[in-house]
Amino acid sequence: MLRLDKVTKVFQGNILALGQVSFELQKGELAFLVGAGRSGKTTLLRLIAAEVEPTQGEIVFDGLSSRDQRAKEAALWRRKQGLVFDHPRLVNDMSVFDNVALGLRVSGERESRIKRKVPQVLEQVGLLAKSRALASHLSSGEQQKAAVARALVKNPVLLLADEPTSGLDEGDAQEIMDLLKKVNICGTTMLMTCGESVPGGLNPSRVIRIEKPGVM
Amino acid sequence: MRISYSARLALSRILAGGRRNLMMIICMALGWLALGSFLLLFLNLSQAEEQIKGEVQMEVYLNGDITSLQLYFLQKSLQSLPQVEQVEYRSWRNAFSQMEHLLGPEALVGLNAEALPSSFLLHLKRGHRSYQEVSGLAVRVRDWEGVEDVEYGGKWLKPAEQDTRTFFLGIIVLGMMVALALAAMIAGFTRWVARSQKEIVQVLSLLGAGRGDAAILLLMQGLLLGGAGVLMGLACLWVLHWLLAGALSAHEFLPGLTISGMIAAGAILGALGAIARSSRNPQPEM
């Protein structure tokens, strides 16, 4: 489903961010990327999200190769993925409903489907009662749940989460982790970055440790 | 992304921008108001100039001993001139009754009416009433057989024309400066608004929107903001015109074509500003 083959990323100024990274993810896996700060975990997610292109190597996602990717295809690639960040990245002056619906509206979904689908996902993350509230009026834990809902509403083939519990208190962090775990159990493949170790209570199918530069 | 949703999103982003976008629309409206005022002034002055020039007539005084045949050919020659719209014959009787009407019968006591010259009054065509053309025509006609003298109000026509030309030039230069300032202002403001949309553009991009989707969104915002600015400016101008029309003897508001052109220019300038910004579309970050 996702295969990285000797992926290297060199940024301007000859800065080696990642060197010769190779791994493969199967459908339904829950994988963790662990490593020290600035080891390239976020860069790796950016590469998989087709936000930046690899300098060398190849990424194959859902049958599409990064080698034949153009801007339009990169956007299509991103539509098949759900992205959750350490910061929720919601549009603050939009309602929770509209923020979550944005993922579907970008893909040109019909309003009738959006009106059916969004409340289902909001219920799943426990935010249905706040669907009309502005994103800026939510607590940080709720904002992160809304961000997860926005990623899930598209039924992504792959969910990429970049330290999704960073900055949250213990209770909110646990809720988000439980939520993501449920999503994975329901069959969504997930690749998540975290600090240097995997949070407790999770049973990842794979732990990928990154040390700069490269992978172990 | 559907176009209808792009339009709705653009409108909702403008409304969400609140005071910032309102300020931009007001600033653009002020710019358009200034430019519209110059256009209106130009239009009304042009009309006034045409009216003044409409008064330009040429009086061709005839020799006292002109024969009927000479009179006939002279009239035909005058009528064939490209500058002349109408030729009106005024006999000494016409001239006398006109003087009587102007000065009163007492003033004409003892005047030999038959000594008054008969004349042709020439009404000149529009576009042929400039000092240069009228004075040239007068010199030419003065040499014709049977013509005693030619008068055309040269004393006031030349300075009036020079003053009007200087005034028009001033208005055009000022108007162009306002237009340039307006274009820079709209482009700058639109870029500013587009920059403020960095957050939504990045979010859309991360959710799978292509560059085109972001560009369409910014383009629509630019069109809406630019259009709103020019409409507000025109509305203010109309109110100003309505309030001052009597005092300034201004006649007409801007013609429909000019109004349409201004609205289109406002929207296009807004869109151009947005496109300029979207070409430097922020890349999504993680």
Side-chain angles (χ1 to χ4, degrees):
Chain A
M1 205 267 301
L2 175 71
R3 180 168 56 82
L4 279 81
D5 186 18
K6 294 178 182 169
V7 172
T8 298
K9 181 66 191 174
V10 181
F11 283 113
Q12 256 186 345
N14 233 9
I15 300 162
L16 179 66
L18 280 174
Q20 303 276 312
V21 177
S22 300
F23 66 86
E24 203 166 328
L25 276 188
Q26 300 302 325
K27 195 171 180 340
E29 274 198 272
L30 169 62
F32 276 86
L33 278 172
V34 294
R38 305 186 70 82
S39 57
K41 301 188 296 276
T42 299
T43 303
L44 189 54
L45 287 198
R46 291 180 73 187
L47 284 161
I48 296 168
E51 229 193 280
V52 286
E53 286 176 27
T55 312
Q56 274 176 10
E58 185 187 22
I59 302 171
V60 180
F61 167 65
D62 205 29
L64 291 166
S65 167
S66 59
R67 284 187 180 147
D68 0 281
Q69 217 177 62
R70 277 172 288 176
K72 197 179 171 188
E73 285 149 357
L76 289 173
W77 186 332
R78 230 174 276 144
R79 283 182 201 177
K80 292 183 177 184
Q81 299 171 344
L83 303 163
V84 181
F85 314 99
D86 52 346
H87 178 266
R89 299 250 184 135
L90 300 174
V91 184
N92 282 329
D93 50 33
M94 270 188 182
S95 69
V96 173
F97 182 97
D98 284 334
N99 264 290
V100 175
L102 211 52
L104 294 174
R105 283 175 173 149
V106 160
S107 313
E109 289 285 353
R110 289 182 179 279
E111 281 300 309
S112 55
R113 184 165 183 263
I114 292 169
K115 281 178 184 156
R116 204 175 54 242
K117 181 82 180 159
V118 173
Q120 284 173 4
V121 180
L122 284 174
E123 191 169 22
Q124 197 182 340
V125 300
L127 280 180
L128 187 58
K130 297 204 168 180
S131 66
R132 285 176 184 273
L134 288 181
S136 56
H137 292 174
L138 300 180
S139 70
S140 38
E142 288 171 331
Q143 285 186 349
Q144 196 61 307
K145 282 182 190 171
V148 173
R150 188 179 61 189
L152 293 180
V153 78
K154 300 190 290 179
N155 288 332
V157 178
L158 173 68
L159 187 79
L160 301 170
D162 190 19
E163 306 203 18
T165 57
S166 155
L168 296 182
D169 62 40
E170 209 172 309
D172 283 339
Q174 193 54 53
E175 275 192 62
I176 295 292
M177 277 302 175
D178 289 345
L179 186 62
L180 292 174
K181 207 169 149 185
K182 272 190 218 166
V183 170
N184 175 247
I185 288 168
C186 291
T188 304
T189 314
M190 210 176 288
L191 179 62
M192 202 184 308
T193 67
C194 50
E196 297 209 53
S197 58
V198 177
L202 294 166
N203 296 309
S205 56
R206 187 186 303 235
V207 177
I208 302 157
R209 180 171 296 278
I210 294 187
E211 282 178 10
K212 196 176 177 183
V215 68
M216 285 177 73
Chain B
M1 202 153 71
R2 286 168 189 264
I3 295 287
S4 58
Y5 181 64
S6 295
R8 268 196 297 146
L9 188 59
L11 192 61
S12 76
R13 300 316 301 154
I14 288 173
L15 295 175
R19 211 176 295 170
R20 180 188 54 209
N21 287 341
L22 184 66
M23 206 172 83
M24 177 190 163
I25 291 172
I26 290 172
C27 283
M28 285 201 298
L30 287 174
W32 283 111
L33 176 65
L35 186 67
S37 302
F38 279 111
L39 283 174
L40 200 56
L41 195 64
F42 187 82
L43 181 82
N44 278 284
L45 277 174
S46 300
Q47 279 180 349
E49 191 199 19
E50 275 305 314
Q51 268 181 356
I52 291 167
K53 285 195 170 171
E55 306 295 322
V56 178
Q57 292 171 339
M58 189 179 278
E59 189 108 40
V60 180
Y61 293 106
L62 309 173
N63 285 332
D65 56 355
I66 191 165
T67 63
S68 303
L69 194 63
Q70 279 177 322
L71 192 70
Y72 174 77
F73 282 115
L74 183 61
Q75 187 168 14
K76 284 281 167 203
S77 303
L78 289 170
Q79 274 170 344
S80 67
L81 287 168
Q83 297 93 334
V84 174
E85 190 161 26
Q86 196 190 338
V87 177
E88 200 180 311
Y89 176 69
R90 298 168 90 176
S91 65
W92 60 265
R93 280 190 192 84
N94 294 135
F96 185 77
S97 60
Q98 198 182 12
M99 281 179 79
E100 198 173 33
H101 178 71
L102 284 171
L103 306 171
E106 297 82 17
L108 304 181
V109 174
L111 179 77
N112 179 12
E114 287 183 37
L116 288 172
S118 50
S119 63
F120 282 118
L121 182 66
L122 308 187
H123 297 273
L124 300 175
K125 282 180 187 166
R126 218 175 185 177
H128 295 281
R129 294 166 184 168
S130 68
Y131 172 75
Q132 200 182 358
E133 202 157 353
V134 175
S135 60
L137 184 66
V139 169
R140 195 172 147 204
V141 172
R142 198 171 277 137
D143 291 339
W144 286 2
E145 202 175 336
V147 174
E148 176 72 33
D149 197 11
V150 177
E151 274 187 16
Y152 59 92
K155 279 180 188 163
W156 64 267
L157 185 59
K158 191 177 181 181
E161 202 171 272
Q162 277 174 342
D163 291 349
T164 317
R165 199 171 292 164
T166 311
F167 200 60
F168 271 144
L169 198 67
I171 287 175
I172 289 169
V173 169
L174 275 173
M176 279 171 74
M177 281 162 69
V178 171
L180 281 173
L182 181 69
M185 191 169 78
I186 290 175
F189 269 117
T190 317
R191 280 204 299 275
W192 176 50
V193 169
R195 206 161 32 233
S196 71
Q197 299 306 311
K198 188 180 167 186
E199 182 195 26
I200 184 91
V201 169
Q202 281 190 346
V203 169
L204 287 173
S205 178
L206 287 168
L207 293 172
R211 272 181 184 275
D213 293 319
I216 287 171
L217 174 69
L218 293 173
L219 189 79
M220 285 189 175
Q221 274 191 312
L223 279 171
L224 288 170
L225 285 170
V230 72
L231 282 175
M232 191 188 265
L234 281 169
C236 293
L237 186 65
W238 186 84
V239 170
L240 203 69
H241 174 261
W242 181 70
L243 288 173
L244 299 176
L248 298 178
S249 306
H251 301 291
E252 282 180 35
F253 193 59
L254 297 171
L257 197 66
T258 309
I259 293 175
S260 313
M262 282 172 79
I263 294 171
I268 289 168
L269 279 172
L272 284 176
I275 288 172
R277 183 65 212 168
S278 74
S279 63
R280 282 176 280 156
N281 201 5
Q283 281 295 309
E285 293 158 4
M286 276 198 191

